[in-house]
Amino acid sequence: MDAKLLKGKPVAEAVYTRVSKQIGFLKEQGVFPKLSVILVGEDPASQVYVRRKGKACEKLGILSETIVLPADSSEQALVTKIEALNSDPKNHGILVQLPLPGHIDEDKIIRTVSPQKDVDCFHPQNVGLLVSGNPYMLPCTPAGIVEMLRFYKIETESKHVVVVGRSNIVGKPMLNLLLQKNKSANATVTIVHSRTKEISAHIRRADIVIAAIGQPNFIKKEQLKKGSVVIDVGINRMDADNEKGYTLVGDVDFDQVYETVSYITPVPGGVGPMTIAMLMQNTVTAAAVQNKILLLEE
Ligand code: NDP
């Protein structure tokens, strides 16, 4: 039997509907949520991501500012910019687009963003809160995946989830989110990476596989349990004989596994739309918290 497709768009729309209501509520109280995005340099992929974030803000009525610094900006110039945004009460969220040029210390920059305004959930204080089970911000891509699973009524409680990849952006926060003690988590989680022995044996035991490695079509049919759920975070560009000259594929060999699994996210159009939707949610959450306003969840 063919798998059911877990499309991201309807889930993202549901998040936007919720966030729109929250924005309306904040505006009634004189709070106008604002996100500032800093881009250092002219990396084309980063420019695309930054533009998409600006468009999402515009669509929802979140104020947004994009600050572009030249690629050869000093680390201190970036720190000074972030500190100004930290102390601006009209600015609620700060996102520094990664990767940064090599001469800038990424960890230092992450630590410079005020934890209250850290809409990416990268600051060690926010990571610590997540790990200890009392999160303030939720990491965007992993939180988007939890939203998707909830939307499509796929339970994680008592399920065995295997996360493939241990990055600070996807793998590790995914693990921590699924370990939370609540109905949308409560999973048993295994995380595997490039130094894991017999990776296939782990993946084969999974009820839910979350792949975030950045290796095109890495996971194959024979590695998956029949009826398992596949969340493919990977976005890999492959040369193709089409107008664009490329096509996007995930970390899972979609065509091959389609008949084996029960649910699968397409690439593109699966997890992708969720990351920006959750960024919008974090910006609004940050605006509410900074103004001591309690938001309703729905
Ligand atoms: P990173 O490169 O930071 O991390 C990749 C992880 O995968 C590492 O932990 C690495 O292991 C592991 N890995 C790499 N190769 C293998 C292998 N052959 N076997 C087992 N593990 C392996 O990537 P990200 O987490 O940032 O991104 C992963 C993918 O997700 C990318 O395609 C990226 O474009 C996509 N992405 C999509 C987003 C979305 O919104 N949909 C958001 C963020 C990322 P080790 O640690 O041992 O090196």
Side-chain angles (χ1 to χ4, degrees):
M1 214 177 76
D2 285 351
K4 291 200 181 77
L5 273 188
L6 303 173
K7 292 189 180 169
K9 207 169 165 207
V11 195
E13 287 303 330
V15 172
Y16 288 136
T17 303
R18 180 178 75 211
V19 173
S20 278
K21 285 186 197 157
Q22 294 172 337
I23 293 169
F25 181 65
L26 288 176
K27 286 186 176 171
E28 277 166 21
Q29 296 173 69
V31 175
F32 296 83
K34 180 173 175 192
L35 173 68
S36 294
V37 178
I38 307 180
L39 173 64
V40 186
E42 290 167 5
D43 176 58
S46 294
Q47 285 174 332
V48 171
Y49 292 137
V50 168
R51 261 200 305 277
R52 281 192 198 150
K53 287 162 190 172
K55 274 193 184 152
C57 287
E58 201 180 317
K59 180 175 153 186
L60 284 169
I62 293 177
L63 300 172
S64 78
E65 182 186 11
T66 301
I67 298 154
V68 182
L69 299 178
D72 60 358
S73 297
S74 67
E75 187 178 276
Q76 188 51 47
L78 179 55
V79 167
T80 305
K81 198 76 223 166
I82 295 169
E83 284 172 348
L85 294 169
N86 282 345
S87 54
D88 176 1
K90 288 203 162 64
N91 178 75
H92 307 104
I94 303 170
L95 184 151
V96 181
Q97 186 65 44
L98 302 180
L100 290 168
H103 65 281
I104 298 180
D105 178 349
E106 219 161 83
D107 283 341
K108 180 176 174 185
I109 295 305
I110 286 171
R111 286 194 306 271
T112 304
V113 173
S114 155
Q116 289 244 315
K117 301 189 178 187
D118 167 38
V119 285
D120 262 334
C121 192
F122 289 163
H123 192 286
Q125 183 175 312
N126 288 328
V127 175
L129 287 171
L130 174 68
V131 173
S132 62
N134 187 25
Y136 160 57
M137 284 294 168
L138 296 179
C140 296
T141 303
I145 292 169
V146 169
E147 283 277 351
M148 280 188 105
L149 293 169
R150 207 160 40 200
F151 183 91
Y152 288 107
K153 301 195 172 16
I154 297 168
E155 294 201 353
T156 52
E157 186 160 65
S158 308
K159 296 285 168 58
H160 182 197
V161 182
V162 173
V163 178
V164 191
R166 57 173 166 179
S167 72
N168 288 339
I169 298 179
V170 189
K172 276 191 256 172
M174 190 74 248
L175 163 92
N176 285 307
L177 209 46
L178 289 168
L179 286 179
Q180 302 290 311
K181 289 188 179 180
N182 65 55
K183 202 58 198 134
S184 302
N186 280 341
T188 302
V189 193
T190 301
I191 191 159
V192 297
H193 47 78
S194 71
R195 303 302 163 100
T196 303
K197 273 190 190 162
E198 296 180 23
I199 208 167
S200 299
H202 293 285
I203 297 173
R204 208 171 292 119
R205 279 197 290 271
D207 300 309
I208 301 172
V209 177
I210 301 179
I213 52 176
Q215 303 283 338
N217 299 324
F218 181 82
I219 296 177
K220 304 286 185 192
K221 179 176 165 178
E222 55 278 11
Q223 290 173 296
L224 295 164
K225 182 163 83 175
K226 209 169 174 8
S228 54
V229 175
V230 172
I231 307 293
D232 192 351
V233 187
I235 304 175
N236 307 290
R237 231 181 223 229
M238 305 281 279
D239 291 341
D241 194 10
N242 61 19
E243 221 174 89
K244 287 184 187 161
Y246 69 90
T247 179
L248 296 179
V249 301
D251 290 342
V252 180
D253 193 333
F254 184 93
D255 294 336
Q256 207 207 41
V257 311
Y258 193 61
E259 288 176 9
T260 299
V261 301
S262 58
Y263 293 90
I264 186 166
T265 55
V267 177
V271 176
M274 295 311 300
T275 301
I276 291 184
M278 300 319 290
L279 174 68
M280 298 298 109
Q281 175 69 78
N282 278 350
T283 303
V284 171
T285 303
V289 171
Q290 285 159 45
N291 287 281
K292 301 189 172 47
I293 295 172
L294 192 63
L295 287 176
L296 294 176
E297 277 281 303
E298 297 302 330

